[in-house]
Amino acid sequence: EIVMTQSPATLSVFPGERATLSCRASQSVNSNLAWHQQKPGQAPRLLIYGASTRATGIPARFSGSGSGTEFTLTISSLQSEDFAVYYCQQYNNWPRTFGQGTKVEIK
Amino acid sequence: EVQLLESGGGLVQPGGSLRLSCVASGFTFSNYAMSWVRQAPGKGLEWVSTVGGRDNNTYFADSVKGRFTISRDNSKNTLYLQMNSLRAEDTAIYYCAKMSPRGDTDYWGQGTLVTVSS
């Protein structure tokens, strides 16, 4: 099983600042990496697939990068609606696995 | 617009069974693999199971293998999860999810809560 490790667990950021979230895979997942956003009491939503492609309707302030085992999600200028938990997920191997999540909170 | 509507959650005793359903609309259901993903209270996301679109291949997390069965009825645009021998640790919100042809999860339902307790 591929273990996905996200860091940090919690990120405190001022509105308008940049946020950088990391995700590491225990073995290569190529570019088969997605990022999902989950707000309290809501279902997750796909943000990024293929490590760097924004899903339909996702604002350009969200960007993804990386391949192999190291990935980054960057939110260029945090808006109030971006404070949420973010999960990475690999879909290169079975079983599919998620990271434990990074909570982005208001500083 | 893609919509996924889960039902069938509830309170069940340890060792009991429950069947979840997910009715899909807004896309050609038979063309896409579908999954169940769960989230225990206050915890992260855990993939549970996937069934292929036309090939009907199935995949399961080790934590549910042998206890859970995934199936689909393409004529009814419905995905199922049959859960047997339920344990307290199966308590979670269960999300139905559509898989893209690339393999990622591109749409999520709102979830249905399963509580396993005596």
Side-chain angles (χ1 to χ4, degrees):
Chain A
E1 172 176 317
I2 296 177
V3 177
M4 307 300 292
T5 303
Q6 292 186 241
S7 60
T10 303
L11 187 60
S12 298
V13 185
F14 287 108
E17 284 192 335
R18 172 187 296 258
T20 302
L21 290 66
S22 295
C23 175
R24 173 176 292 178
S26 60
Q27 64 187 75
S28 176
V29 298
N30 299 300
S31 293
N32 295 315
L33 190 285
W35 290 93
H36 301 273
Q37 176 195 64
Q38 188 178 34
K39 298 178 183 179
Q42 295 187 18
R45 175 177 71 146
L46 175 67
L47 294 178
I48 300 283
Y49 62 87
S52 61
T53 303
R54 282 188 302 277
T56 303
I58 301 303
R61 64 180 180 273
F62 292 92
S63 63
S65 64
S67 66
T69 62
E70 300 283 344
F71 301 90
T72 300
L73 175 69
T74 302
I75 312 171
S76 60
S77 176
L78 270 155
Q79 307 298 302
S80 58
E81 61 267 29
D82 300 335
F83 292 95
V85 180
Y86 293 83
Y87 295 94
C88 62
Q89 182 200 13
Q90 66 82 18
Y91 52 97
N92 195 69
N93 287 55
W94 300 101
R96 305 305 198 216
T97 45
F98 290 88
Q100 79 279 19
T102 291
K103 181 180 181 181
V104 177
E105 63 177 24
I106 300 174
K107 191 171 185 178
Chain B
E1 178 192 6
V2 171
Q3 292 193 348
L4 302 169
L5 185 59
E6 302 96 334
S7 62
L11 176 64
V12 61
Q13 292 189 339
S17 297
L18 211 56
R19 188 177 83 155
L20 306 183
S21 300
C22 170
V23 177
S25 61
F27 63 102
T28 304
F29 181 71
S30 59
N31 285 353
Y32 296 92
M34 298 291 295
S35 293
W36 291 96
V37 177
R38 68 184 180 183
Q39 186 170 37
K43 302 298 184 182
L45 301 170
E46 179 189 17
W47 170 80
V48 173
S49 183
T50 297
V51 59
R54 296 193 178 278
D55 59 20
N56 267 322
N57 288 339
T58 58
Y59 306 86
F60 296 92
D62 285 347
S63 57
V64 306
K65 201 172 292 183
R67 300 188 298 123
F68 289 13
T69 303
I70 190 171
S71 61
R72 62 192 299 158
D73 185 337
N74 290 337
S75 68
K76 295 182 179 179
N77 287 358
T78 302
L79 175 72
Y80 302 101
L81 185 69
Q82 178 66 44
M83 304 186 294
N84 299 330
S85 303
L86 282 161
R87 306 166 180 166
E89 54 264 36
D90 296 318
T91 294
I93 296 172
Y94 284 73
Y95 294 103
C96 168
K98 173 185 170 294
M99 315 303 294
S100 82
R102 304 173 297 264
D104 58 278
T105 304
D106 58 359
Y107 291 94
W108 298 76
Q110 286 304 303
T112 187
L113 176 62
V114 172
T115 303
V116 184
S117 174
S118 55

